[in-house]
């Protein structure tokens, strides 16, 4: 068998490091590895040719001893293989000289996945594939990332002796954000549509039926159960799941199936499909009672978050986040829907920082996040975050004067601030004033006087003891409200407040206010009455104090 | 000879032939997946050549490249979906019409075959994303065969869809 690499005209050869950047022309081959064949050194080319020759000579002799390969040949082309055994090799195997690229399981330690320093760059399909039980078979190219860190060579396997890192070709449906590409390092073969295998792939279809029977001893027909297919897709025993420890069996819920491996499990139901769960996420899943717990079945394999800070798996009723040394946390329903509705880990709450807990008063369950908390109480799911959360916690949280949050933070309606209702009060927030809670009679007075759109604007303190054992007061951007055990709550503002404070405030001669300031235009003048006197407002510079006799 | 279909038209020089087509779409709602998944979207594919195109060809010319000799050139225009427009891979604007020998490489082939060389240009025209894949039967014959390929490309028009 002749297995020489294609010869090139001497004048066209370039060194491997000579940059040929044609990106402006729409040609995105790696500029520092423009032509891997030409870039191969003389010794590399000799080795390439020699290994191809060895591959070609030994392959047929060892072929029939490879039971896995014979099994594949029987599955892929049973009639021709049995009647014309001389053609069986051609059904599946390839050599370095046939011009095709080797499969990833051949060059990637048995794993039918893209190896390091490559990316999923494109795909094609071959119709009516025996490898996929008569369905279409998808071949996904793993191209080297730029700069290319591999050299053109023969894969060396006795059956899959095809090339690796030689063909600088791109199908172009995946990772469109990456323009520069190196040679195809290897090919992933799967019965799963590529856009489901890698979400970066588009559905633009390309077909090449000549590759329908391309095989390798490490590829098996994908005609088993969904769990078996998933296991094979993840590299089988050579993949991260490792060897089977408990064969596939039905779960006690009669709904799904599970198979267990050294390093993880694969779960399947007809509605969720087959998905793996492994590592710390599997440990956490087990703590949550697995498929019999709140999460139910997995709906995704383990994924990486776009910020690179976590790995996670989705389940029918929630998600588990693995955050490395920070921990592994379940966000179950209904927390999950609320969390996702607020932007998930990229939103205002950020990552979970603890498991779901039951509150000390047994009235709620809650989960903490980096930016706040979600309470579930009496069927309602309420979030609290940011400065409002901090303030609530400062005043004893759900055990303090505000109690539990009653709804989420909402705009105040004035285009400036926000309000959150609680069982026994409200918290008002603006970026300039911060967050402050109001409750009791002071809140009632504030609301009666127009709240955030009234004269006082936003609070700048909580109700605070005056210190005389009788009263409390709260400050606002434009005044105060005083309340006491023997008087109602009244607002004091402007020049009247200045004079009142000059007179010693509630602990001075006037005592607590007992009325609001008379409205503008009141016949006989505007007065505000106090326990022990009156303040008359004539103008900002003319405020008169009269003490009771 | 003029060819026109799917918003692509070309006027082939003497001695050239071509096909413009779209593969069959897998039927939605059927259980058969023999020709792919119902979510797949085949787009127009153009094959132009100065030799007799075999009937059974892969989208990027497999089957055709096997019968090429040193006089031959194969031009493939493979269209992608609208989601590709505006991405870095398809940032070049306009169908190339001046291919030069230095653009070609014996490595830049879907399947490397002795003496052959290829070139892929990803581009956008008329708000449609394409790959132009050109295969030379013999790399050393580039200067002889590329004028014919460039003339064919110059006579090719892509319209908005």
């Amino acid at each position: 068998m002749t297995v020489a690499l294609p010869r090139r005209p001497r004048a066209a050869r370039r060194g491997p490091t000579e940059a040929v950047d044609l990106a402006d022309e729409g040609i995105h081959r790696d500029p520092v590895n423009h032509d891997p064949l030409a870039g191969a050194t003389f010794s590399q080319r000799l080795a390439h040719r020699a290994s191809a020759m060895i591959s070609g000579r030994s392959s047929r002799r060892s072929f029939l001893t490879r039971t896995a390969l014979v099994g594949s040949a029987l599955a892929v082309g049973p009639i021709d293989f049995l009647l014309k055994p001389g053609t069986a090799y051609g059904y599946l195997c390839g050599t370095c000289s046939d011009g095709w690229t080797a499969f990833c399981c051949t060059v990637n330690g048995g794993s039918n996945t893209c190896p390091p320093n490559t990316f999923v760059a494109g795909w094609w399909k071959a119709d009516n594939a025996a490898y996929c039980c008569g369905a279409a078979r998808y071949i996904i190219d793993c191209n080297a990332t730029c700069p290319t860190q591999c050299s053109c060579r023969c894969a060396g396997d006795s059956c899959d002796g095809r090339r690796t890192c030689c063909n600088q070709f791109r199908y172009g449906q995946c990772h469109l954000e990456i323009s520069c590409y190196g040679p195809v390092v290897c090919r992933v073969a799967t019965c799963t549509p590529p856009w489901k295998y890698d979400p970066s792939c588009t559905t633009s279809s390309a077909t090449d039926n000549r590759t329908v029977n391309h095989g390798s001893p490490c590829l098996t027909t994908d005609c088993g159960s969904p769990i078996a297919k998933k296991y094979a897709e993840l590299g089988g025993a050579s993949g991260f799941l490792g060897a089977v420890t408990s064969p596939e069996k039905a779960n006690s819920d009669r709904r799904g199936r599970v198979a267990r491996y050294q390093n993880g499990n694969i779960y399947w139901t007809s509605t969720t499909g087959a998905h793996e769960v492994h590592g710390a996420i599997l440990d956490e899943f087990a703590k949550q009672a697995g498929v019999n717990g709140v999460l139910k079945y997995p709906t995704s394999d383990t994924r990486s978050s776009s910020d690179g800070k976590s790995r996670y798996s989705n389940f029918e009723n929630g998600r588990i986040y693995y955050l490395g040394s920070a921990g592994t946390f379940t966000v179950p329903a209904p927390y999950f829907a609320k969390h996702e509705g607020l932007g998930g880990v990229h939103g205002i709450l950020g990552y979970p920082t603890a498991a779901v807990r039951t509150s000390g008063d047994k009235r709620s369950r809650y989960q903490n996040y980096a930016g706040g908390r979600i309470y579930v109480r009496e069927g309602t799911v309420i979030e609290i975050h940011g400065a409002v959360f901090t303030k609530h916690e400062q005043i004893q949280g759900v055990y303090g004067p505000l109690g539990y949050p009653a709804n989420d933070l909402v705009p105040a309606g004035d285009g400036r601030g926000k309000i959150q209702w609680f069982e026994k009060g409200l918290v008002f927030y603006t970026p300039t004033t911060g967050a402050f809670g109001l409750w009791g009679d002071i809140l009632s007075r504030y609301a009666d006087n127009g709240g955030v759109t009234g004269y006082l604007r936003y609070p700048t303190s909580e109700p605070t003891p005056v210190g005389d054992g009788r009263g409390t007061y709260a400050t606002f951007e434009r005044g105060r409200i005083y309340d006491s055990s023997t008087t109602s709550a009244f607002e004091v503002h402007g020049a009247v407040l200045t004079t009142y404070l000059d007179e010693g405030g509630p602990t001075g001669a006037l005592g607590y206010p007992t009325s609001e300031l008379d409205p503008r235009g009141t016949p006989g003048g505007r007065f505000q009455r106090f326990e022990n006197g009156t303040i008359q407002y004539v103008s900002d510079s003319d405020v008169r104090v009269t003490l009771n006799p | 000879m003029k060819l026109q279909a799917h918003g692509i038209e070309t006027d082939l020089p003497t001695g050239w032939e071509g096909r413009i087509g779209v593969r069959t779409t897998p039927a939605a709602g059927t259980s058969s997946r023999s020709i792919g998944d119902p979510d797949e979207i085949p787009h127009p594919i153009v094959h132009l050549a100065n030799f007799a195109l075999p009937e059974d060809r892969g989208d990027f010319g497999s089957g055709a490249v096997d019968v090429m000799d040193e006089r031959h050139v194969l031009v493939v225009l493979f269209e992608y979906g609208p989601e590709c427009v505006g991405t870095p891979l398809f940032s070049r604007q306009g169908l190339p019409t001046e291919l030069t020998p230095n653009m070609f490489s014996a490595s830049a082939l879907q399947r490397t075959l002795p003496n052959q060389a290829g070139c892929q240009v990803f581009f956008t025209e008329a708000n449609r994303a394409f790959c132009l894949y050109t295969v030379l039967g013999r790399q050393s014959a580039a200067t002889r065969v590329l004028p014919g390929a460039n003339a064919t490309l110059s006579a090719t028009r892509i319209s908005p869809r």
Side-chain angles (χ1 to χ4, degrees):
Chain A
M1 182 181 293
T2 303
V3 285
L5 283 171
R7 292 182 182 280
R8 288 173 46 82
R10 246 175 225 289
R13 287 189 185 174
R14 293 187 177 91
T17 58
E18 183 181 347
V20 181
D21 193 350
L22 298 168
D24 289 344
E25 304 284 352
I27 298 171
H28 297 289
R29 302 194 300 264
D30 185 354
V32 299
N33 191 27
H34 187 70
D35 188 345
L37 289 175
T41 64
F42 178 72
S43 59
Q44 283 173 326
R45 291 168 67 83
L46 273 181
H48 188 159
R49 291 161 67 176
S51 65
M53 292 173 71
I54 293 166
S55 165
R57 284 175 187 162
S58 63
S59 57
R60 287 175 190 274
R61 279 200 299 273
S62 58
F63 177 54
L64 291 176
T65 67
R66 306 291 291 270
T67 54
L69 188 54
V70 171
S72 294
L74 282 167
V76 173
I79 303 301
D80 280 355
F81 177 63
L82 292 174
L83 297 181
K84 296 183 289 181
T87 67
Y89 181 89
Y91 259 94
L92 304 172
C93 299
T95 68
C96 201
S97 63
D98 69 14
W100 297 103
T101 299
F103 286 99
C104 290
C105 63
T106 301
V107 301
N108 191 27
S111 178
N112 186 31
T113 58
C114 287
N117 301 315
T118 68
F119 68 104
V120 172
W123 63 271
W124 76 91
K125 69 180 170 69
D127 298 330
N128 303 300
Y131 266 106
C132 295
C133 318
R137 183 192 198 199
Y138 299 92
I139 309 291
I140 298 169
D141 277 342
C142 304
N143 284 61
T145 51
C146 297
T148 302
Q149 296 180 45
C150 57
S151 301
C152 174
R153 63 182 176 84
C154 304
D157 183 84
S158 60
C159 173
D160 189 12
R162 301 178 181 94
R163 297 158 182 245
T164 175
C165 198
C166 299
N167 298 3
Q168 209 154 24
F169 184 87
R170 182 166 179 180
Y171 262 87
Q173 301 101 321
C174 309
H175 282 293
L176 308 179
E177 79 283 6
I178 302 173
S179 53
C180 183
Y181 61 91
V184 183
V185 173
C186 61
R187 302 182 286 169
V188 170
T190 176
C191 305
T192 301
W195 57 94
K196 295 177 182 173
Y197 178 86
D198 185 326
S200 81
C201 296
T202 73
T203 55
S204 293
S205 175
T207 301
D208 188 345
N209 290 324
R210 280 178 171 70
T211 58
V212 69
N213 291 333
H214 281 194
S216 167
C218 55
L219 289 176
T220 58
T221 51
D222 200 357
C223 298
S225 70
I227 286 180
K229 290 179 182 177
K230 171 62 71 174
Y231 183 53
E233 186 182 301
L234 296 173
S238 301
F240 66 87
L241 288 175
V244 176
T245 58
S246 175
E248 179 180 335
K249 64 179 182 182
N251 276 329
S252 56
D253 61 6
R254 298 187 174 183
R255 181 178 166 225
R257 299 178 68 79
V258 62
R260 302 180 195 281
Y261 309 90
Q262 286 173 307
N263 304 313
N265 298 344
I266 297 178
Y267 299 88
W268 172 89
T269 73
S270 59
T271 53
T272 59
H275 300 287
E276 61 82 15
V277 185
H278 72 279
I281 291 178
L282 177 60
D283 295 341
E284 174 66 13
F285 186 45
K287 279 172 56 182
Q288 301 293 332
V291 299
N292 301 314
V294 64
L295 291 170
K296 305 299 182 190
Y297 282 86
T299 58
S300 78
D301 292 344
T302 304
R303 297 173 174 173
S304 295
S305 62
S306 58
D307 62 6
K309 293 179 179 174
S310 72
R311 291 175 65 75
Y312 65 90
S313 289
N314 292 328
F315 297 83
E316 290 178 287
N317 287 329
R319 180 177 286 176
I320 296 177
Y321 286 100
Y322 167 69
L323 296 162
S325 59
T328 305
F329 303 114
T330 296
V331 182
Y335 304 86
F336 181 63
K338 174 67 80 173
H339 187 234
E340 284 298 290
L342 294 167
V345 297
H346 307 300
I348 52 179
L349 290 175
Y351 279 101
T353 57
V356 172
R357 295 171 175 163
T358 300
S359 63
D361 62 4
K362 312 291 187 209
R363 292 179 61 207
S364 72
R365 287 173 64 77
Y366 65 91
Q367 184 162 37
N368 290 334
Y369 300 84
R373 179 177 290 174
I374 294 175
Y375 286 100
V376 176
R377 185 177 63 89
E378 296 173 355
T380 60
V381 186
I382 311 262
E383 65 86 14
I384 178 170
H385 70 271
V388 176
F389 174 60
T390 303
K391 174 58 67 179
H392 188 233
E393 289 299 293
Q394 282 175 352
I395 52 177
Q396 286 77 53
V398 299
Y399 307 116
L402 289 170
Y404 278 95
N407 69 356
D408 293 344
L409 189 67
V410 295
D414 61 350
R416 183 183 168 210
K418 295 183 176 179
I419 299 174
Q420 185 156 16
W421 269 260
F422 290 76
E423 285 180 300
K424 295 179 277 188
L426 288 88
V427 172
F428 300 85
Y429 166 81
T430 75
T432 51
T433 60
F436 292 99
L438 296 177
W439 53 86
D441 289 344
I442 289 179
L443 174 61
S444 298
R445 172 59 64 187
Y446 178 59
D448 289 346
N449 287 5
V452 299
T453 55
Y455 184 87
L456 291 173
R457 298 292 187 258
Y458 281 85
T460 56
S461 81
E462 271 80 51
T464 305
V466 169
D468 60 357
R470 286 183 63 206
T472 56
Y473 72 103
T475 62
F476 298 82
E477 290 181 287
R478 298 173 66 180
R480 294 186 177 193
I481 294 177
Y482 286 92
D483 184 31
S484 80
S485 55
T486 55
T487 60
S488 296
F490 293 105
E491 170 183 327
V492 187
H493 67 258
V496 173
L497 175 61
T498 303
T499 301
Y500 178 54
L501 294 176
D502 287 345
E503 293 293 322
T507 56
L510 285 166
Y512 284 86
T514 56
S515 77
E516 295 284 295
L517 178 63
D518 292 329
R520 191 184 301 274
T522 301
R526 301 177 68 191
F527 294 88
Q528 182 158 17
R529 283 155 281 281
F530 295 81
E531 289 177 300
N532 303 316
T534 303
I535 295 179
Q536 181 181 9
Y537 174 82
V538 180
S539 71
D540 283 350
S541 58
D542 185 2
V543 179
R544 302 167 190 174
V545 177
T546 304
L547 293 175
N548 295 336
Chain B
M1 178 173 64
K2 286 184 184 292
L3 292 178
Q4 184 175 8
H6 307 294
I8 302 168
E9 63 175 284
T10 189
D11 193 358
L12 293 170
T14 303
W16 281 68
E17 64 177 71
R19 308 276 190 282
I20 303 176
V22 178
R23 285 191 183 267
T24 304
T25 306
T30 64
S31 58
S32 172
R33 297 287 184 269
S34 63
I35 59 169
D37 187 279
D39 289 340
E40 287 176 33
I41 304 174
H43 297 286
I45 300 161
V46 181
H47 287 171
L48 308 173
N50 62 353
F51 58 95
L53 286 168
E55 185 61 29
D56 183 17
R57 303 180 306 279
D59 289 350
F60 278 93
S62 71
V65 297
D66 307 70
V67 301
M68 292 174 74
D69 68 26
E70 65 182 33
R71 301 163 296 166
H72 295 156
V73 59
L74 170 70
V75 174
V76 175
L77 268 174
F78 182 91
E79 184 170 7
Y80 298 83
E83 69 279 4
C84 300
V85 174
T87 61
L89 183 62
F90 294 91
S91 58
R92 178 201 155 104
Q93 295 295 318
L95 170 67
T97 57
E98 294 183 9
L99 300 176
T100 55
N102 72 317
M103 295 177 175
F104 286 80
S105 161
S107 309
L109 292 163
Q110 179 213 18
R111 176 192 180 193
T112 50
L113 290 173
N115 302 317
Q116 293 188 358
C119 171
Q120 281 184 285
V121 181
F122 293 92
F123 68 95
T124 299
E125 176 150 335
N127 220 30
R128 298 169 65 178
F130 288 89
C131 175
L132 169 66
Y133 177 50
T134 309
V135 180
L136 307 178
R138 180 179 285 274
Q139 184 170 20
S140 58
T143 52
R144 289 202 301 277
V145 299
L146 278 180
N150 285 333
T152 304
L153 290 170
S154 296
T156 301
R157 299 283 178 270
I158 297 171
S159 307
R161 302 204 77 185

